């Protein structure tokens, strides 16, 4: 185990006790950042913090403490909902984005249908055009004058399926 400075960690200072070399809170609550522990202690209490940190593997302690600090800071700002208000807000944003995506997909399907209608109308007068030809290819292979003189109702080109 690494030798630490003899200075007490923020948790031990808060509790007015001497910080030992085996203190599990010292790596996560340094003396230079006492506000971090004060927020967590206010929301969760010292005993809960100590039990939580001691009860998990040392590899994930830093992540657990980071999450606890985040939860506590949000809980201080919003004591009723805490992080649930953030989750609710994000769920609303997801719902709005999903509805926008559905609208755009519908627009895309309508445009594809219009494209297919246009291609099928252009194929009526020219059987020599291959099936997988794009409009740019059709325009270059068939002069615009021929298309203009075909007996095609221009309103049919924009009908929705």
């Amino acid at each position: 185990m690494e030798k630490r400075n003899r200075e007490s960690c923020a948790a031990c200072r808060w509790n007015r006790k001497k910080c030992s070399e085996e203190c599990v809170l010292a790596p996560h609550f340094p003396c230079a950042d006492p506000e971090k522990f004060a927020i967590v202690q206010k929301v969760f209490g010292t005993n809960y913090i100590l039990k939580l940190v001691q009860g998990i593997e040392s590899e994930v302690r830093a992540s657990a403490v980071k999450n606890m600090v985040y939860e506590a800071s949000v809980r201080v700002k919003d004591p009723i909902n805490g992080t649930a208000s953030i989750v609710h807000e994000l769920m609303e944003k997801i719902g709005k984005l999903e509805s926008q995506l559905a609208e755009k997909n519908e627009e895309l399907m309508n445009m594809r249908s219009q494209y297919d209608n246009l291609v099928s109308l252009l194929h009526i007068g020219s059987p020599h055009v291959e099936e997988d030809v794009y409009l740019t290819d059709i325009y270059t292979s068939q002069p615009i004058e021929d298309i203009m003189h075909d007996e095609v109702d221009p309103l049919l080109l924009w009908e929705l399926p």
Side-chain angles (χ1 to χ4, degrees):
M1 196 179 260
E2 278 184 33
K3 289 254 180 188
R4 289 187 304 106
N5 233 343
R6 290 282 177 200
E7 199 169 12
S8 292
C9 68
C12 291
R13 272 195 182 173
W14 179 272
N15 294 312
R16 296 186 180 137
K17 66 179 195 173
K18 185 176 179 185
C19 190
S20 68
E21 289 291 324
E22 295 82 31
C23 179
V24 293
L25 300 178
H28 310 291
F29 298 105
C31 62
D33 194 7
E35 298 85 25
K36 182 176 167 181
F37 181 76
I39 290 172
V40 176
Q41 194 280 334
K42 180 179 180 179
V43 174
F44 295 109
T46 305
N47 287 336
Y48 178 78
I49 298 167
L50 194 56
K51 285 179 187 176
L52 179 78
V53 172
Q54 287 175 339
I56 57 177
E57 296 139 13
S58 59
E59 296 85 30
V60 295
R61 282 182 185 162
S63 179
V65 169
K66 183 179 177 182
N67 288 323
M68 198 179 336
V69 169
Y70 179 74
E71 172 71 33
S73 64
V74 172
R75 182 68 64 179
V76 166
K77 292 176 187 171
D78 185 358
I80 304 297
N81 298 315
T83 54
S85 63
I86 296 171
V87 171
H88 179 69
E89 182 181 311
L90 291 174
M91 293 299 288
E92 283 181 351
K93 285 182 182 179
I94 288 171
K96 288 177 184 175
L97 290 172
E98 284 176 340
S99 67
Q100 288 175 356
L101 179 62
E103 288 173 10
K104 295 301 177 186
N105 279 334
E106 189 175 329
E107 283 180 37
L108 180 61
M109 294 303 293
N110 288 337
M111 293 174 107
R112 283 183 180 162
S113 176
Q114 290 173 3
Y115 172 80
D116 291 341
N117 287 343
L118 181 60
V119 169
S120 67
L121 288 172
L122 292 174
H123 280 257
I124 292 172
S126 55
H128 64 278
V129 179
E130 295 178 18
E131 288 297 318
D132 294 7
V133 175
Y134 291 101
L135 286 177
T136 54
D137 295 331
I138 293 171
Y139 283 130
T140 57
S141 66
Q142 186 176 4
I144 192 73
E145 296 84 27
D146 292 348
I147 295 172
M148 298 285 285
H149 294 295
D150 284 347
E151 293 184 12
V152 175
D153 186 1
L155 294 176
L156 291 177
L157 295 176
W158 305 111
E159 280 186 358
L160 297 177

